[in-house]
Each structure stands twice: as C-alpha cells, then as structure tokens.
Amino acid sequence: MSTHKNFCQYLYSCPVIELSGYTAQLGLSGRIFAYLDFAGPTGTAKDGLAEGMLSLARQKGKLQAGQPVLEAASGTFAAALCIAARRTHHPVTLLVPPTLDGRRQKLLQQLGAKLVFTMDSLKGGREAVREQAQKLAREQGAYFVDQFNNDDNPDYHRRLTGPAILKATGSGDEIDAIVAGVGTGGTITGVGEYVKAWTNHIRIAAVEPYECQAIGGGFLSRHGIPGIGAGFVPQNYNPYVVDILMAVSTGEALNAAREVLCTDAIPAGPSSGAALFAARQLLEQGRAKSALCVFPSRQMVE
C-alpha cells in the first residue's frame, strides 16, 4: 500500500488528464491535456502555492520558525495562507479592505488570521496598500509574503509545476503548447522559464479576461473569472517567456467549464475554463496540435 506522510504530498501530486471527451465532442483535430492543480481545501492552486512559498522562504532563510507572516489579501490566497501557516505554526496577519464582507471576515478569523483594515483615506491604490503592508511587517517583525511581487511565487512553479508537466508529457514530447491564466503571474512565469530552459518546441500561451486586458493593453473592467485578471501587470509576470497572449471572455470561460464537466467529468472552475477555451482556440486556429492547459480551480457540484 502506498501512503502519503502528510496532505502536502498529495496536494503536490497534480495529475495530467487527456480531455479526449472534450476534443471529440467539439470535433477538434488535436489533443488537449489538463494539469489539475486544485486538490486542496480552497479548490484552487493557491493551496499549493501558499504552502510552497512558505517552504521556500524557510529554505532561503527569509522566514524563521514561529515568525509571524503578513499578507495584503482577503481572497482565496489569504485562506490558503492561513491554512498553510497554521500547520507550520506561523501566526498570520492579513491586511484587508474595510469593505470586506462580514462572512469573509469571520471565515478568515476562524482560520486563525488577525485582520487589519486598510485606512479609508488611503490614497494610491494597491501600491499604497503594499507600502502599508511593508510598514506593518517591519513593526511586527513579520515576514511579508507579497505574492504578486515575490520571486518565490514563480520559483515554486519552476521547481514543481514546470518539472511535473514535462515529466507527465514525456519530457514535453507529447505537447507543443502550454496554456495558463495570468493572476499573480507566478504560474506562467515559473512554468515558462523552466520549460523554455529544457525544450525549444513548446510555445507558452498566457490568458487574461477579455473584459480586463491589462497585459494586452486593452480596456479594464469587471469580469467573472476569479483568480486571473487582477487589472494590472504583476511584477512576477515575465513577458519574454510568453509566445502567445490570448483574451477569453467570462461567458466563454464558464461555457468551457460546463462542457468539460459533461464530457470528461472534470469539475473545472472559471479560470480553468478560460485556459481550456484558449487551448481550444489554438487547436482550431492551427497554432497547436497538442496543448496542455493548467487548471487552477475547480467548481463544486451539488
């Protein structure tokens, strides 16, 4: 019997599945694979990322045993960070907006976080929030995780996601494209840098919401694809490893997620659906024959 010593070993074991039902249903000429990175408690890739970033920080001597950690976040990464930090005995402080929903506040507090609200009069947007987080971290002697700007984010994907994808696809011989959405920029950068270092035939496709094209220089507005399309270009994003930039609408992402649930029983979330729709477009346009898309989120089926 094969067992895991802890949940993280299972969490990092992301399977690669060929979506043969999806390609057959749509009559696509080519193959699509999915790297399923959503096995953790939040149902997103943020679980592995939070655990991995803390581990890397400890390895590099940036985070000491029992040291508090701080992050300016209130979404999925915030919840994942609370879970990962609690398991490794690091107190968590989250800098959150004053408008944060009461139920979300309660959830994060139940997960062990201390909440500090940004000032209502704070000017300068996200950079001002980051500065406030840096100042608070210095005052508390805390480690500021800083997921959008910390190279440990893409480094996690250089060390884990990229190698796992190449290993699962015969050193990359079975694919000619990798598709991933851009949220913090860590996945596309880390995977792209690793894959480009070891292969010369795989093209990297980055996906952002059609309604919020910060990277492509388009208009910025609200969208319904959580996890990607932050509305700005993250510092972690490396444009030099991206061969193709694609925009997928919320409707296209949601439709693709529903389709793959019916064809392949994969409970893909909206950001996974965005990557899948982009991969489909690559095949339909003849720009790829065998594409792998990173699925960073799942949906709950009740």
Side-chain angles (χ1 to χ4, degrees), residues 22-218:
Y22 182 81
T23 54
Q25 177 74 20
L26 296 174
L28 299 175
S29 177
R31 306 169 76 186
I32 296 179
F33 298 88
Y35 178 84
L36 307 186
D37 193 5
F38 50 55
T42 70
T44 73
K46 299 298 186 182
D47 295 302
L49 177 62
E51 179 74 31
M53 288 187 70
L54 292 182
S55 296
L56 285 172
R58 287 192 294 269
Q59 286 179 22
K60 297 176 181 180
K62 298 187 292 184
L63 176 63
Q64 307 304 314
Q67 183 181 3
V69 297
L70 183 143
E71 179 64 314
S74 58
T76 307
F77 184 75
L81 182 64
C82 288
I83 295 169
R86 191 164 189 169
R87 192 184 72 83
T88 51
H89 310 292
H90 293 285
V92 176
T93 297
L94 297 174
L95 193 60
V96 301
T99 56
L100 184 64
D101 179 80
R103 289 177 297 178
R104 190 68 184 177
Q105 292 182 35
K106 184 177 180 180
L107 171 64
L108 295 174
Q109 289 170 330
Q110 288 175 337
L111 291 175
K114 175 185 176 182
L115 304 185
V116 175
F117 294 95
T118 57
M119 296 175 288
D120 287 306
S121 59
L122 202 60
K123 303 296 182 182
R126 60 184 179 83
E127 282 304 318
V129 172
R130 185 170 180 241
E131 289 176 6
Q132 184 181 351
Q134 291 172 325
K135 181 176 182 292
L136 188 60
R138 288 192 298 269
E139 293 173 351
Q140 295 186 353
Y143 173 68
F144 180 30
V145 179
D146 200 14
Q147 61 167 327
F148 283 90
N149 305 280
N150 186 345
D151 186 64
D152 285 350
N153 182 342
D155 197 23
Y156 165 80
H157 294 287
R158 292 184 203 107
R159 295 184 183 214
L160 191 130
T161 313
I165 288 173
L166 289 192
K167 181 179 179 180
T169 57
S171 298
D173 292 340
E174 296 181 39
I175 58 174
D176 57 9
I178 294 175
V179 185
V182 179
T184 63
T187 302
I188 198 74
T189 295
V191 171
E193 289 177 352
Y194 182 86
V195 169
K196 293 286 187 180
W198 290 96
T199 71
N200 56 17
H201 70 284
I202 297 177
R203 305 179 79 191
I204 304 297
V207 181
E208 62 179 347
Y210 178 81
E211 301 92 338
C212 188
Q213 299 181 49
I215 299 172

Side-chain angles (χ1 to χ4, degrees), residues 19-28 259-260 262-264:
L19 306 181
S20 53
Y22 182 81
T23 54
Q25 177 74 20
L26 296 174
L28 299 175
E259 288 170 341
V260 77
C262 296
T263 59
D264 296 88

